[in-house]
Amino acid sequence: MKHLVRTSKNLGHAIRQARKAKNLTQKELASMSGVWQETISKIENGSGGTKLETVFDLIAALELEITVAERSKGTSDGLEDIF
Amino acid sequence: MKHLVRTSKNLGHAIRQARKAKNLTQKELASMSGVWQETISKIENGSGGTKLETVFDLIAALELEITVAERSKGTSDGLEDIF
DNA sequence: ACAATTTATGATCCAGGGGTCATATACGAT
DNA sequence: ATCGTATATGACCCCTGGATCATAAATTGT
């Protein structure tokens, strides 16, 4: 699944979905990423203001990757997902 | 151009490149994104700790988009770029 | 319904980000 | 080399994210 991320809420969804897909609890993800469970909770719920590094830590632990590219003009390339 | 972003430095490169591609100065980007020129400078140079929202503002102003997806196992999908 | 586990909330403390201004340094053109 | 513009740096303050601990609320399994 490919997530378009424009807001913290989007990011939260993407992360929660990836975590669930791997059957991890927030606490487990916490210990593998070094990010506190409480913080993960906030992030998954889209509370803004998160620091980039924290996101990178989670992304890495979940074996996801972030890409930045020109806004696709409706290419609808792969199946996308936006909330 | 599609940028794989794993670190703040990567992000900085992607943003600077996109800005240059649009022939914008940091100051111009600043006024169109609401992010201070000084801050843009820091971000482009990969100084970590940036807040997500700040990144979103820049990405939007530069008409870029961020996607999160499973780590591609060497798919080498489109032409990528990693620093 | 109950117990166990998972997630959310709340408070405190501290370090660092970003707004803001001033200035230094780098870069380009002539 | 000089002028003008662009980018980087430094200092200040305020505000908030995240570490941390305790606990509440929600979810899940039986």
Side-chain angles (χ1 to χ4, degrees), chain A residues 26-64:
Chain A
Q26 291 183 347
K27 190 181 292 190
E28 290 170 318
L29 178 55
S31 76
M32 33 193 298
S33 66
V35 178
W36 255 238
Q37 177 267 314
E38 293 84 339
T39 302
I40 294 177
S41 169
K42 282 195 223 154
I43 292 176
E44 288 190 353
N45 283 72
S47 78
T50 316
K51 274 192 255 165
L52 253 196
E53 269 62 30
T54 309
V55 174
F56 289 146
D57 289 344
L58 293 175
I59 292 297
L62 289 167
E63 302 182 275
L64 298 175

Side-chain angles (χ1 to χ4, degrees), chain A:
Chain A
M1 188 53 120
K2 195 169 159 191
H3 297 260
L4 227 181
V5 175
R6 294 200 244 264
T7 69
S8 300
K9 215 164 265 299
N10 299 162
L11 208 243
H13 275 291
I15 288 182
R16 171 158 292 167
Q17 210 159 293
R19 178 176 60 82
K20 289 262 177 78
K22 299 203 155 215
N23 272 89
L24 295 170
T25 82
Q26 291 183 347
K27 190 181 292 190
E28 290 170 318
L29 178 55
S31 76
M32 33 193 298
S33 66
V35 178
W36 255 238
Q37 177 267 314
E38 293 84 339
T39 302
I40 294 177
S41 169
K42 282 195 223 154
I43 292 176
E44 288 190 353
N45 283 72
S47 78
T50 316
K51 274 192 255 165
L52 253 196
E53 269 62 30
T54 309
V55 174
F56 289 146
D57 289 344
L58 293 175
I59 292 297
L62 289 167
E63 302 182 275
L64 298 175
E65 67 182 19
I66 297 179
T67 52
V68 171
E70 300 89 19
R71 200 141 56 195
S72 56
K73 298 256 176 194
T75 321
S76 208
D77 199 335
L79 16 204
E80 288 184 4
D81 170 36
I82 181 85
F83 290 83

Side-chain angles (χ1 to χ4, degrees), chain B residues 36 38-39 48-51:
Chain B
W36 256 240
E38 294 84 340
T39 303
T50 317
K51 273 192 257 166

